[in-house]
Amino acid sequence: MDEQINAFIASIRRIMEALPTDSKNIRGTVTEVDEAARTCEVQPLGGEAPLPDVRLVASIDSEAIGGVVFIPKIGSAVIVSMLEASESEAYVTSFGEVEKLIIRFSEDSFAELSEAGLSYKNDELEVNLSQDAHQLKVGDLSVQLTADQLSLNGDSAGGLIKIKELKTEWNKNKAILDGLVQVLSGPPIPEPGNGSPSALQASLKGAVAGKQTGVLKDSIINKKVTHGDGDN
């Protein structure tokens, strides 16, 4: 057991000895942010000259695609560390307030989170969640939700049909059509004056012979997709 403890202590000592001994930390305030370059400018609290191009990530290489980036708020407090005490190797190690969090998985896949909302994109999938609206887009299909409206692929085709009201109005028209068909299919109606059977009735009777008015059945309703007026 003593040998294992001694080996562990020795490994810790080697790690500590490998750490740079001339690095330093500076407290400061963020004065500028370059989101594209993934750097910021920091004004040290001690009154020293501003520190430009302070890294927000481990690498600011333009060819580096993936990674997590914290975008600090202007005026927020940060702690800046410098490798080998060199200002050219300065990077933010602690953030006071964050404006945005960016997670990039690949060139076409990333997520952004901020107080304004959340956005995510991956190939044909796109999700945008904000305080005013939520939107989901997959290829050419889209769904958008606001406080008072749900839109499927936009709103150019108008609103969804209220099937109960449609059936009520349909039944009114059907009652009129059924009445007309009953008259046309009934006994001949004599024409005024000569008493001959109505030629118009005979013509219309032939036109509707063998035909029936339709019935708006419940089978046309897809009960797995429903909507309402927001009452419940």
Side-chain angles (χ1 to χ4, degrees), residues 26-225:
I26 295 178
R27 297 179 182 273
T29 302
V30 178
T31 56
E32 294 182 18
V33 174
D34 189 335
E35 185 175 324
R38 294 177 288 186
T39 61
C40 68
E41 181 175 291
V42 177
Q43 175 62 56
L45 296 182
E48 298 91 342
L51 300 174
D53 301 326
V54 178
R55 298 183 181 186
L56 299 174
V57 290
S59 173
I60 57 175
D61 185 353
S62 59
E63 296 182 358
I65 297 176
V68 179
V69 186
F70 289 93
I71 305 298
K73 287 186 177 182
I74 301 294
S76 65
V78 292
I79 295 178
V80 177
S81 296
M82 299 181 187
L83 293 176
E84 300 179 356
S86 172
E87 292 187 4
S88 63
E89 296 293 333
Y91 61 98
V92 178
T93 54
S94 181
F95 296 83
E97 296 180 81
V98 175
E99 183 76 30
K100 182 190 301 184
L101 170 63
I102 303 174
I103 305 175
R104 184 170 290 277
F105 307 99
S106 65
E107 187 173 356
D108 299 321
S109 178
F110 65 90
E112 292 188 5
L113 176 63
S114 67
E115 188 175 356
L118 168 68
S119 62
Y120 172 76
K121 188 177 187 304
N122 184 6
D123 294 330
E124 292 190 348
L125 172 62
E126 187 173 344
V127 180
N128 292 289
L129 307 178
S130 68
Q131 296 178 352
D132 299 326
H134 302 334
Q135 185 178 47
L136 170 65
K137 185 176 182 181
V138 182
D140 296 330
L141 303 178
S142 67
V143 178
Q144 180 169 308
L145 176 64
T146 63
D148 58 359
Q149 186 176 12
L150 171 64
S151 301
L152 306 176
N153 277 0
D155 55 7
S156 59
L160 293 176
I161 295 174
K162 297 180 179 180
I163 192 64
K164 290 183 178 180
E165 294 186 15
L166 175 62
K167 289 182 68 175
T168 298
E169 298 304 316
W170 170 275
N171 289 334
K172 292 178 182 178
N173 294 334
K174 185 177 183 300
I176 295 174
L177 290 174
D178 287 342
L180 291 174
V181 171
Q182 184 177 2
V183 171
L184 295 174
S185 302
I189 300 175
E191 291 187 355
N194 57 24
S196 300
S198 171
L200 176 61
Q201 181 190 18
S203 177
L204 293 176
K205 184 176 181 179
V208 300
K211 298 180 176 64
Q212 294 181 340
T213 55
V215 178
L216 201 61
K217 300 179 180 179
D218 288 340
S219 59
I220 70 170
I221 303 173
N222 183 355
K223 296 183 179 180
K224 292 184 178 180
V225 181

